[in-house]
């Protein structure tokens, strides 16, 4: 069976760092408006979801939004990235991302000295020290090397900022802004974080009772102990009837671990009737990585919907660059080369690169007889492609909560900003599921059975699968 090309190779977000030796020259010579217009034009011409997303906003709404941000870009300084980020956020697509392209340990004192400062009166700091809201005084919880005041500061770009109020670090002085963010809901803000060298990075900030993000603890409170239990793969025989498998990533780098796991559990998989497959927080990877799991969930023909690629020169260049990836199997490279040839012959619009298909390539196995797959909001991209396949099996039950909803526009490629040291990653393909009303972006794949957040999901799955 030929797999749909749009799902051949989707990687999770990663950050690329290399030495950027002249941050100061970027700050002096790179016009924010110029960079904003470059990104805007690039997205309009190369992002596979642009026409759909603009239609949702309406053309007038899109023009109003971009006009407002362009106007802000004319006077922007160190927060230019925030303007560009908010433009990209308007598409509501997690397959549009920004990565830094600089070494955060390299300092440019000229750039740092140009940064604007915020003056906070002593009485304001005293009042903040008594606050129990998002505002307050917070300590860098790794080594207490600096303190910040988190204050409301409403503007067109943010409504909270974090300001240094004292620091033992030589490059951070009182009054410098550490972050700017806009509150999205009770538990989340998004904005930019100024890193060790003061260069901004797009960041999500989780809001806790006494924490902001993972870095800052409210002064005078005790940090809650963080328990991390992250395994790329794991397994456990829960009973004579139920096997538990955990797969945290479908990244190509995890392919060998998954193959080893399945080989080690081959006897149990073929002899035990029930399987719990835990995919929580599996943010994706590549389709060939989950392929070895498919025989264990297959019960009959599975329908797949084809995809289109936006055939532009930049997208062709991006796909060619992918061929340099050492983790990509040769068979996938062969298919991608064929796709590139099609794109080069038919540039200028969406090009069908995969037809709708029926997969009947497997023979149903006697075991496992029932499979519960645990899913949550951390499941995205390639993991959702796997779930679109899995939910068509009569032996599969999805339990948990909706997935993230990041698959309608996929196959991310990348391009450098025109003058700022950043990389834009964006989707080059569009699923034709959208044309039949089966899009999942920002909605996700629904479970058959919803589970409450504070319950033991593995126990609930065990009860469901073993209790008649």
């Amino acid at each position: 069976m030929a797999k749909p090309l749009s799902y051949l190779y989707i990687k999770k977000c990663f950050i690329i760092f290399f030495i950027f030796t002249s941050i100061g020259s970027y700050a002096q010579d790179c016009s924010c408006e110029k960079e904003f217009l470059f990104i805007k034009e690039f997205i309009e011409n190369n992002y596979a979801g642009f026409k759909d997303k603009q239609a949702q906003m309406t053309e007038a709404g899109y023009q109003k939004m971009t006009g407002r941000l362009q106007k802000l870009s004319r006077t922007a300084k160190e927060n230019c990235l925030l303007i560009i980020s908010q433009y990209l956020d308007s598409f509501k697509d997690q397959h549009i991302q920004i990565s830094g392209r600089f070494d955060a340990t390299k300092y440019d004192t000229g750039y740092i000295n140009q940064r604007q400062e915020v003056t906070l009166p002593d009485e304001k700091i005293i009042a903040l020290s008594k606050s129990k809201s998002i505002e307050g005084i917070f300590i860098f919880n790794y080594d207490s090397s600096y303190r910040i005041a988190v204050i409301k500061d409403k503007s067109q770009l943010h409504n909270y900022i974090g300001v240094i109020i004292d620091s033992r670090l030589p490059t951070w002085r009182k009054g410098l802004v550490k972050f700017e963010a806009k509150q999205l809901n009770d538990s989340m803000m998004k904005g930019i974080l100024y890193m060790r060298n003061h260069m901004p990075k797009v960041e999500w900030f989780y809001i806790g009772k006494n924490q902001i993000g993972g870095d800052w603890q409210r002064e005078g409170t005790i940090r809650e102990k963080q328990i991390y239990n992250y395994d790329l793969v794991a397994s456990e025989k829960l009973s004579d009837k139920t096997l538990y498998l955990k797969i945290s990533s479908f990244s190509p780098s995890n392919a060998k671990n998954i193959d080893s796991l399945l080989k080690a559990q081959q006897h149990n998989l073929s002899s035990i009737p029930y399987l719990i497959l835990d995919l929580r927080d599996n943010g994706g990877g590549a389709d060939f990585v989950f392929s070895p799991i498919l025989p264990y969930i297959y019960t009959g023909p599975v329908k797949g919907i084809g995809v289109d690629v936006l055939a532009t020169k930049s997208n062709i260049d991006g796909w060619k660059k992918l061929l340099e990836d050492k983790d990509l199997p040769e068979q996938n490279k062969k298919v991608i080369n064929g796709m590139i040839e099609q794109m080069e012959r038919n540039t200028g619009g969406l090009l069908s690169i995969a037809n709708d298909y029926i997969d009947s390539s497997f023979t149903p196995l006697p075991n496992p007889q029932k499979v519960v797959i645990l899913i949550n909001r951390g499941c995205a991209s390639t993991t959702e492609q796997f779930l679109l396949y899995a939910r068509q099996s009569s032996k599969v039950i999805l339990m948990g909560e909706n997935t993230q909803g990041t698959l309608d526009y996929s196959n991310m490629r990348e391009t450098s900003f025109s003058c700022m040291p950043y990389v834009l990653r964006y989707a080059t393909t569009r699923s034709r599921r959208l044309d039949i009303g089966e899009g999942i972006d920002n909605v996700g794949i629904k479970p058959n059975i919803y589970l409450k957040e504070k319950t033991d999901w593995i126990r609930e799955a065990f009860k469901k699968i073993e209790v008649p």
Side-chain angles (χ1 to χ4, degrees), residues 250 277 279 287 290-291 293-294 297 373 381-391 407:
F250 287 133
L277 179 59
L279 297 182
D287 283 21
F290 69 61
S291 292
I293 306 170
L294 299 180
I297 63 173
I373 303 178
S381 194
T382 297
T383 305
E384 292 173 310
Q385 179 61 29
F386 172 79
L387 294 172
L388 290 178
Y389 189 105
R391 71 179 184 179
L407 188 63

Side-chain angles (χ1 to χ4, degrees), residues 136-142 144 146-148 150 208-226:
I137 305 300
F138 293 80
I139 300 175
F140 184 59
N141 59 28
Y142 293 102
S144 302
Y146 66 84
R147 294 192 303 157
I148 60 172
V150 177
K209 182 180 180 181
N210 290 309
Q211 288 186 324
I212 299 291
D215 291 340
W216 303 295
Q217 181 74 29
R218 192 185 304 275
E219 191 172 44
T221 65
I222 299 174
R223 186 184 183 191
E224 294 182 12
K225 185 177 180 180
Q226 303 293 315

